[in-house]
């Protein structure tokens, strides 16, 4: 069971984010080309130490999951502006699912929101760190 903990988290987050209508595109790593992500997408990541738990001598019990919400910029005259409404809509829908109890883990209310930063290929993004406790 310990070996499938990370796989289970990613699968459940994919299903949760999709079922809540937050985004239809959910990735576990940043894409090489952001312009293929559609109008909005979410990247779900775990810290490196957690990816390593099955090969280390230590069983990490608590950490943070990182969720990055991308929204394609809007064009205003000749400038690109962040689509704050799309980002905030995703963040609000995401915040409503917490606290969340999954298979062998619990996620508490998000603690940090970093808003908005500019990405390549005409996207802006917000980052949310969520405390996660594995049982």
């Amino acid at each position: 069971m310990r070996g499938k903990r990370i796989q289970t988290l990613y699968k459940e987050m994919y299903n949760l984010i999709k079922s809540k209508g937050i985004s239809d595109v959910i990735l576990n790593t940043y894409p090489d080309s952001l312009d293929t992500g559609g109008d909005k997408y979410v990247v779900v990541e775990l810290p490196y130490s957690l990816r390593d738990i099955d090969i280390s001598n230590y069983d990490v019990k608590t950490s943070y999951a990182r969720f990055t919400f991308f929204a394609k910029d809007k064009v205003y005259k000749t400038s690109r502006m962040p689509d704050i409404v799309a980002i905030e809509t995703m963040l609000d829908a995401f915040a409503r699912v917490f606290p969340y109890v999954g298979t062998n883990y619990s996620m508490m209310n998000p603690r940090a929101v970093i808003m908005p930063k500019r990405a390549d290929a005409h996207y802006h993004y917000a980052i949310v760190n969520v405390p996660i406790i594995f049982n």
Side-chain angles (χ1 to χ4, degrees), residues 112-127:
V113 177
I114 301 168
M115 265 294 282
K117 302 264 185 198
R118 186 167 185 217
D120 293 334
H122 310 300
Y123 282 83
H124 274 74
Y125 63 93
I127 299 170

Side-chain angles (χ1 to χ4, degrees), residues 71 74 82-92:
K74 291 188 169 233
D83 189 349
I84 299 297
V85 172
I87 293 173
E88 285 184 338
T89 300
M90 287 189 287
L91 291 173
D92 289 345

Side-chain angles (χ1 to χ4, degrees), residues 26 46-47 49 83 93 98 105 112 126 135:
I26 301 100
L46 289 171
S49 61
D83 189 349
F98 293 99
Y105 67 91
N135 306 328

Side-chain angles (χ1 to χ4, degrees), residues 1-52:
M1 169 147 17
R2 189 171 162 210
K4 295 193 178 206
R5 196 164 25 187
I6 294 169
Q7 174 186 340
T8 300
L9 174 87
Y10 279 129
K11 182 179 178 184
E12 288 183 9
M13 288 301 100
Y14 175 86
N15 291 334
L16 178 69
I17 290 168
K18 192 166 181 143
S19 71
K20 296 296 181 183
I22 298 168
S23 178
D24 287 336
V25 181
I26 301 100
L27 309 169
N28 63 2
T29 187
Y30 291 91
D32 291 335
S33 174
L34 297 178
D35 59 353
T36 60
D39 287 340
K40 60 183 184 175
Y41 64 96
V42 180
V43 176
V44 180
E45 294 179 288
L46 289 171
Y48 184 78
S49 61
L50 241 112
R51 292 182 183 139
D52 250 11

Side-chain angles (χ1 to χ4, degrees), residues 42-107:
V42 180
V43 176
V44 180
E45 294 179 288
L46 289 171
Y48 184 78
S49 61
L50 241 112
R51 292 182 183 139
D52 250 11
I53 60 176
D54 294 322
I55 59 171
S56 74
N57 293 327
Y58 304 100
D59 187 16
V60 177
K61 290 280 194 182
T62 61
S63 190
Y64 286 85
R66 181 180 187 172
F67 296 83
T68 308
F69 298 87
F70 285 84
K72 197 167 203 171
D73 293 345
K74 291 188 169 233
V75 177
Y76 177 72
K77 296 186 180 181
T78 59
S79 299
R80 294 202 170 260
M81 305 295 290
D83 189 349
I84 299 297
V85 172
I87 293 173
E88 285 184 338
T89 300
M90 287 189 287
L91 291 173
D92 289 345
F94 184 68
R96 285 193 289 272
V97 304
F98 293 99
Y100 180 79
V101 177
T103 305
N104 296 320
Y105 67 91
S106 300
M107 298 178 87

